[in-house]
Amino acid sequence: MDPELLARIIERRAELDELEEELAKELAKVRAERDELAVAERVLERVSEQLADERASAAPASGQVGGRTVMLIPHRAPDVEENALPPDYQRLLAVVRQAAGPVMARQVGETLGVDVSVRSKLEPLRGKLVRLTDRGWLRKMPDGRFTTRQ
């Protein structure tokens, strides 16, 4: 057998083995990415369904965040009534609405009987007021006071 021809065959086989190994690695990456996309697609479908259900429902809905059930506050819209909010959020709106003008979170807390001297009791209240602001139910003034939307 021709030694030169045999050397070329061995060299080509080594090239093909190397190429096969690279292609196998690429194929593994493609399959992994395809699996990730399938998971992302399922998550997107679930989130879309959940959002559609939330929009269709006038009652407050609960959802899961970090494994905990939380109350979802709907965005203000012409077809969403105030009674779609959880009762404690309805009370907050009522207090802000009854005030003579824009109010601080501390004033809302005092009206509701919250011990506003304790920061750990005032901050959740402020968070709820901000959440109502983010959803379009209230308006936050530059000085931090809250007022109703017209």
Side-chain angles (χ1 to χ4, degrees):
M1 188 181 267
D2 183 8
E4 193 175 304
L5 184 58
L6 183 59
R8 275 195 250 150
I9 290 172
I10 292 171
E11 183 180 322
R12 182 64 181 150
R13 181 174 286 143
E15 289 172 3
L16 291 174
D17 288 345
E18 186 177 315
L19 181 59
E20 180 182 29
E21 189 176 314
E22 289 174 22
L23 290 174
K25 287 179 184 177
E26 278 300 310
L27 182 59
K29 288 179 187 176
V30 167
R31 286 181 176 156
E33 186 173 346
R34 191 179 326 149
D35 291 345
E36 289 174 8
L37 288 174
V39 169
E41 187 176 22
R42 286 194 301 270
V43 168
L44 180 61
E45 286 173 5
R46 287 182 188 155
V47 168
S48 296
E49 289 171 3
Q50 183 180 5
L51 288 174
D53 290 346
E54 287 174 17
R55 288 185 186 121
S57 170
S62 62
Q64 291 284 322
V65 174
R68 292 184 3 197
T69 301
V70 295
M71 187 61 64
L72 300 177
I73 308 305
H75 285 274
R76 183 177 182 202
D79 61 333
V80 178
E81 298 292 325
E82 196 173 297
N83 63 4
L85 294 169
D88 54 335
Y89 284 84
Q90 290 178 35
R91 283 191 296 278
L92 292 175
L93 275 178
V95 169
V96 174
R97 187 176 291 115
Q98 292 168 0
V103 292
M104 298 295 289
R106 178 176 299 282
Q107 293 169 285
V108 173
E110 289 169 350
T111 303
L112 292 173
V114 173
D115 185 2
V116 296
S117 66
V118 179
R119 185 178 182 100
S120 64
K121 296 197 180 199
L122 184 61
E123 288 309 312
L125 176 68
R126 186 183 327 277
K128 288 180 179 181
L129 291 167
V130 168
R131 195 167 301 115
L132 286 169
T133 300
D134 292 343
R135 302 300 196 287
W137 295 96
L138 292 177
R139 188 166 60 105
K140 187 174 181 181
M141 309 297 285
D143 63 0
R145 294 181 299 161
F146 296 90
T147 186
T148 56
R149 289 203 172 265
Q150 302 298 342

